[in-house]
C-alpha cells in the first residue's frame, strides 16, 4: 500500500517557548528538549511508522513582518542558520531528506490586525486559502498540527477538502469527560496549577479557585474542528506524573517524553491501520 503523504504544520514561536532543540535546566541537571517534530523524524527512520508515512513538507506560520514574532524568535530566527539555536539539529534528516529542506513559510500575517478589525476575517480567510494551496501542492493525505497558534476554520469545516484529514497533537487530555481534561494554549500550565490545588478561572488576572490536586496529565491526538481542541480524539496517553514543584519546562519535558511522543506515534499508527485498503483491481 502506498505511503500516506504527511505534512507537518507548526508555529516556531511555540517551539521557541519550549526551548526546543536546546538543553534546559532540569532538577539540578541539564536535559535535551526534543521537539515533537524531531521525535517524528527519528521515528520515521527507526520504526515501522516510516513504512506508513512519507514526510512531504513542514509548514510554519510565523510572520517575519510581525514585531511580536520577531521578539519571540530573536534567538532562533525564522529559518535555520548555522551557528544559532534551532528547534532541532540542523543536519537532522528523515527518510533521506534534510528537514531544513522541507520547510515552507505560510505567514499568518492577519494576526497583525486587531481582533476586532473589520478587515481581519477576510485576511484570515486569505491565510487559510494560501495554506490550502500549499497542502494541495504538497499532495498531503494527512496533516499534523503541532503547536500551531492559530485556529483553523475553513480548512476543517464539514465538506472542506481537509475535513478529518488534519489532526493535532496536544499536550493535555482533550476528552471532555476526563477529569484530567486540559485544553487550550495553557494546557501544561493549567495542569501544573491543578497539581498545586488551584484552577485558574481568568488567565488575564490569574484569578484562581481551590480544587482537589490532580497529579497527572497526558496528551491527545485528535481531529481538528472549528473549536479549541474539541475535535474527536483519535488516541490519548495519560502517563505523566506531576511534581507540584516542577517548573513549566520540567513538566513540558516530562509530558513530551512520557505522554505526547507516545500519543503522536501510537495515534498515527492507528490512523495508518484505518486507511482504506486499495481494491483488488487497484492494488
Amino acid at each position: 500500500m502506498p505511503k500516506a503523504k504527511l505534512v507537518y504544520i507548526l508555529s516556531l514561536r511555540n517551539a521557541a517557548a519550549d526551548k526546543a532543540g536546546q538543553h534546559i535546566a532540569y532538577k539540578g541537571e541539564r536535559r535535551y528538549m526534543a521537539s515533537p517534530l524531531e521525535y517524528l523524524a527519528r521515528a520515521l527512520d527507526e520504526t515501522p511508522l516510516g513504512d506508513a508515512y512519507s514526510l512531504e513538507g513542514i509548514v510554519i506560520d510565523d510572520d517575519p513582518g510581525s514585531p511580536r514574532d520577531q521578539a519571540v524568535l530573536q534567538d532562533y530566527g525564522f529559518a535555520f542558520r548555522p551557528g544559532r539555536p534551532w528547534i532541532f539539529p540542523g543536519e537532522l534528516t528523515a527518510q533521506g531528506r534534510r528537514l531544513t529542506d522541507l520547510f515552507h513559510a505560510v505567514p499568518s500575517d492577519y494576526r497583525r490586525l486587531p481582533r476586532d478589525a473589520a478587515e481581519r476575517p477576510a485576511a484570515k480567510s486569505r491565510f487559510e486559502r494560501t495554506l490550502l494551496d500549499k497542502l494541495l501542492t504538497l499532495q498531503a493525505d494527512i496533516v499534523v498540527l503541532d503547536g500551531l497558534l492559530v485556529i483553523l476554520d475553513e480548512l476543517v469545516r464539514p465538506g472542506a477538502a481537509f475535513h478529518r484529514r488534519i489532526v493535532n497533537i496536544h499536550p493535555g487530555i482533550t476528552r471532555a469527560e476526563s477529569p484530567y481534561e486540559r485544553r487550550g494554549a495553557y494546557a501544561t500550565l493549567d495542569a501544573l496549577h491543578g497539581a498545586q490545588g488551584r484552577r485558574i478561572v481568568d488567565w488575564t488576572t490569574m484569578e484562581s479557585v481551590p480544587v482537589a490536586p490532580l497529579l497527572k496529565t497526558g496528551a491527545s491526538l485528535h481531529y481538528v474542528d472549528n473549536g479549541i481542541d474539541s475535535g474527536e480524539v483519535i488516541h490519548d496517553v495519560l502517563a505523566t506524573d506531576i511534581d507540584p514543584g516542577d517548573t513549566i519546562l520540567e513538566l513540558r519535558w516530562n509530558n513530551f517524553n512520557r505522554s505526547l511522543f507516545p500519543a503522536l506515534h501510537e495515534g498515527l499508527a492507528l490512523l495508518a491501520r484505518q486507511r482504506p485498503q486499495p481494491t483488488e483491481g487497484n492494488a
Side-chain angles (χ1 to χ4, degrees):
M1 185 175 181
K3 296 181 182 183
K5 294 181 178 180
L6 187 152
V7 173
Y8 200 91
I9 304 180
L10 75 157
S11 299
L12 290 176
R13 54 197 184 278
N14 194 53
D18 284 334
K19 303 296 183 185
Q22 311 306 309
H23 285 82
I24 64 163
Y26 186 98
K27 309 293 186 187
E29 58 184 61
R30 307 284 290 177
R31 291 194 180 180
Y32 179 73
M33 182 69 84
S35 67
L37 176 56
E38 181 175 347
Y39 172 84
L40 178 62
R42 298 189 189 282
L44 290 172
D45 277 351
E46 299 169 5
T47 77
L49 209 59
D51 298 329
Y53 296 97
S54 64
L55 181 60
E56 298 297 319
I58 301 163
V59 177
I60 57 172
D61 82 303
D62 305 274
D63 177 14
S66 163
R68 184 169 54 183
D69 288 6
Q70 292 170 13
V72 173
L73 292 172
Q74 60 181 337
D75 293 332
Y76 285 80
F78 291 83
F80 170 71
R81 295 290 184 272
R84 72 185 302 173
W86 190 237
I87 64 172
F88 52 74
E91 70 278 6
L92 183 65
T93 63
Q95 301 173 315
R97 292 178 289 180
R98 289 172 66 101
L99 261 62
T100 53
D101 294 335
L102 298 178
F103 270 69
H104 303 267
V106 181
S108 51
D109 51 9
Y110 73 90
R111 293 180 296 110
R112 299 184 210 170
L113 298 169
R115 290 183 180 276
D116 58 354
E119 318 94 287
R120 185 168 167 124
K124 170 74 179 305
S125 182
R126 285 194 298 273
F127 163 72
E128 291 210 40
R129 289 198 303 272
T130 303
L131 185 55
L132 172 61
D133 289 344
K134 179 60 65 176
L135 296 178
L136 292 174
T137 298
L138 293 171
Q139 300 181 315
D141 293 313
I142 186 76
V143 180
V144 175
L145 305 188
D146 159 29
L148 180 66
L149 298 176
V150 301
I151 297 175
L152 297 178
D153 183 23
E154 297 174 16
L155 276 172
V156 295
R157 289 175 182 169
F162 282 89
H163 175 60
R164 291 181 69 82
R165 291 170 61 191
I166 301 180
V167 301
N168 180 56
I169 185 63
H170 177 72
I173 299 297
T174 61
R175 294 182 189 272
E177 68 273 18
S178 172
Y180 298 96
E181 178 198 14
R182 306 290 182 190
R183 297 184 184 181
Y186 300 109
T188 306
L189 189 56
D190 194 17
L192 185 54
H193 284 300
Q196 296 166 348
R198 301 194 305 274
R199 181 170 67 86
I200 305 299
V201 295
D202 187 323
W203 287 100
T204 301
T205 65
M206 297 302 290
E207 178 186 356
S208 66
V209 296
V211 294
L214 286 177
L215 299 177
K216 217 169 187 63
T217 191
S220 295
L221 185 75
H222 64 87
Y223 288 107
V224 177
D225 62 11
N226 297 131
I228 298 177
D229 300 320
S230 55
E232 178 188 340
V233 174
I234 299 163
H235 184 65
D236 52 22
V237 175
L238 180 68
T240 307
D241 295 323
I242 307 174
D243 178 346
D246 282 341
T247 67
I248 188 69
L249 284 180
E250 287 169 345
L251 181 51
R252 291 287 276 189
W253 190 95
N254 285 335
N255 200 33
F256 277 16
N257 285 275
R258 297 174 184 173
S259 293
L260 190 141
F261 294 163
L264 175 62
H265 193 135
E266 295 163 14
L268 286 176
L270 180 62
L271 279 179
R273 292 195 295 271
Q274 294 175 348
R275 285 184 70 201
Q277 298 293 316
T279 62
E280 185 175 340
N282 294 325

